[in-house]
Amino acid sequence: MKALFYTGTQASEIRDTDAPVAATGETLVDLAFCGICGSDMHAWHGKDARRVPPLILGHEAVGTALNGPHAGKPVAINPLISCQKCDFCQSGHPQLCAARELIGMRLPGAFAEQVVVPDRNVTEIDAGLSFSDAALAEPLAVAVRTVRVAIAHTADPAARIVILGGGAIGLLCALVLKAYGRPHIRIAEPNALRRHRLDGLDIGESYDPVAMPAADSSADIVLDAVGSGITRMAASAIVRPGGIIVHVGLEDSEPGLDTRRFTLQDITFTGTYCYRPDDFAEALRLLTEGAVSGAGWTEIRDLDAGAQAFLDIHEGHAPPKIILATH
Ligand SMILES: [Zn+2]
Ligand SMILES: [Zn+2]
C-alpha cells in the first residue's frame, strides 16, 4: 500500500509498504481521510523523541472497516490504545494509562491507505456524517475534554472566556463553547491571517495579544491552547480571582505561571490530555448533529501531496487543519 513516511527532521515521502494485517480482535480499516495534527508537525520538526523515523504518522483518521464487528461500515478511529486492565483504564481514564499507545507514535499511523487498530477503537459513524467532518472527531474530542473541565468549574453561561491560540485546538474549543451556548469568547491570536479566518467563523472576537494585551484580570475561564511560557504568563495575568486556567497546549516548558497569584486569589490551574471515551463519543455527536463542522477552516489535500502539506504548515501557508485524502 501507499503511505506517507516521516523519514527524518523536516522530511517525509510517499513509500510503498506492506499493508497491515489484522490479528484476532483487530480491525483493518480502509482509510478515507486523516488530518495533520500539531503533534505530527512536532514530530516532523524532530522534536518528539517518541516518534522515531521512518514512521507513518497520523492519528485523526476515518475510513471503512474491512473486517470485525463493523465490517463494511464507515468508522472513526479512536487512536488511543490502552491496556484495559490498570486502575486508570478500569475507571474510564484510558488517557492516563501508563501503557497507552497512539497510532502514529510508535505504532504505524494513518497517513496511509490502511491501518489496523483494536476492534474497540473503531466507532461506526452516522451515514449522514461526511468522512471529512468525521476526521475532526479526534481533535474535537480534545477540545470537548478541555471545555468540559472548564465548565465543570464555572458553569455560568455568561462566563467570560479567553482562548489563547487560534490554531485547530483553540478554534475547536471555541466551536464547542458556541455549541454549548457560551457566547462570550475572545480568542488571542498574534497571526493576522489566522485572526481574519477566525472572524469569518462567527465564534467570538479575536484580538492581537501582542499589540493589545488584555489589560485586566477579568476572564472567568482561560483555555491555553498554545502552552508556551508566554501564554502561561498571559493566562496568569488575565484570569480573574477564583477563575480557572485549562492548559491543553504543549508548545514548550518555559516558566510563566504566577503561582503566587494562584494561591492568593484561589485560581485553579489544570491540564487536560487527550480525551476519555465519552469525550470522543460527544465529539462524534456534535459532528453528526452539525453543531461543529470543518466548513471555512479545513482544507483537503491528496495523500500524494502530504509532504508539501507539512512544508506549507511549517511555513505558515496553511489553514488551521489540513486533512489528507488517503485514497
Ligand atoms: Zn492530535
Ligand atoms: Zn491501562
Side-chain angles (χ1 to χ4, degrees):
M1 68 168 183
K2 192 165 65 178
L4 180 70
F5 276 79
Y6 157 54
T7 53
T9 300
Q10 299 196 11
S12 55
E13 66 184 27
I14 295 287
R15 288 184 183 174
D16 196 45
T17 187
D18 290 340
V21 177
T24 306
E26 290 183 333
T27 296
L28 178 64
V29 179
D30 198 41
L31 293 161
F33 292 101
C34 183
I36 300 178
C37 174
S39 63
D40 295 317
M41 289 306 298
H42 204 63
W44 184 84
H45 282 119
K47 290 179 180 165
D48 187 347
R50 302 166 303 179
R51 290 172 164 94
V52 180
L55 175 70
I56 306 171
L57 297 168
H59 55 268
E60 302 177 356
V62 290
T64 303
L66 293 179
N67 68 307
H70 308 290
K73 295 292 199 305
V75 294
I77 293 174
N78 181 333
L80 192 72
I81 299 169
S82 62
C83 81
Q84 306 284 292
K85 298 184 192 85
C86 72
D87 288 347
F88 292 122
C89 285
Q90 294 274 321
S91 63
H93 298 84
Q95 81 278 20
L96 304 179
C97 173
R100 69 180 182 271
E101 289 285 351
L102 196 77
I103 63 169
M105 196 158 79
R106 275 182 287 257
L107 303 169
F111 294 142
E113 291 179 308
Q114 297 184 337
V115 75
V116 153
V117 290
D119 292 340
R120 63 178 183 276
N121 286 69
V122 300
T123 306
E124 275 181 43
I125 61 173
D126 194 274
L129 175 60
S130 72
F131 267 141
S132 55
D133 270 349
L136 297 171
E138 199 271 349
L140 180 57
V142 174
V144 165
R145 175 107 200 101
T146 302
V147 168
R148 280 178 158 179
V149 167
I151 287 178
H153 180 276
T154 304
D156 183 2
R160 290 153 299 184
I161 301 161
V162 176
I163 298 172
L164 303 178
I169 294 297
L171 196 155
L172 282 164
C173 285
L175 289 170
V176 173
L177 285 161
K178 187 184 175 193
Y180 289 172
R182 302 294 195 283
H184 304 292
I185 305 167
R186 301 187 75 216
I187 307 176
E189 172 53 61
N191 180 314
L193 204 71
R194 280 188 166 186
R195 280 201 306 279
H196 182 70
R197 199 183 298 271
L198 290 166
D199 292 341
L201 292 172
D202 188 28
I203 43 170
E205 178 198 344
S206 72
Y207 71 98
D208 181 351
V210 179
M212 294 186 307
D216 57 351
S217 304
S218 63
D220 301 292
I221 294 170
V222 181
L223 307 181
D224 186 346
V226 178
S228 70
I230 291 166
T231 55
R232 280 186 289 278
M233 202 178 297
S236 297
I238 63 183
V239 67
R240 72 156 166 81
I244 183 169
I245 299 166
V246 187
H247 192 265
V248 62
L250 286 167
E251 179 73 23
D252 65 37
S253 300
E254 297 300 315
L257 290 183
D258 186 349
T259 50
R260 181 175 173 80
R261 181 164 180 248
F262 295 177
T263 306
L264 291 172
Q265 301 198 329
D266 266 10
I267 288 162
T268 301
F269 176 90
T270 182
T272 58
Y273 174 72
C274 281
Y275 33 78
R276 302 187 305 202
D278 60 305
D279 302 314
F280 199 89
E282 172 66 357
L284 278 173
R285 185 191 72 81
L286 289 166
L287 291 164
T288 303
E289 292 183 358
V292 174
S293 83
W297 62 279
T298 60
E299 186 180 311
I300 293 169
R301 298 194 189 177
D302 199 82
L303 181 66
D304 287 327
Q308 186 62 41
F310 274 80
L311 285 167
D312 288 350
I313 295 169
H314 171 65
E315 285 166 8
H317 307 315
K321 178 66 72 185
I322 291 181
I323 299 170
L324 297 180
T326 49
H327 262 294

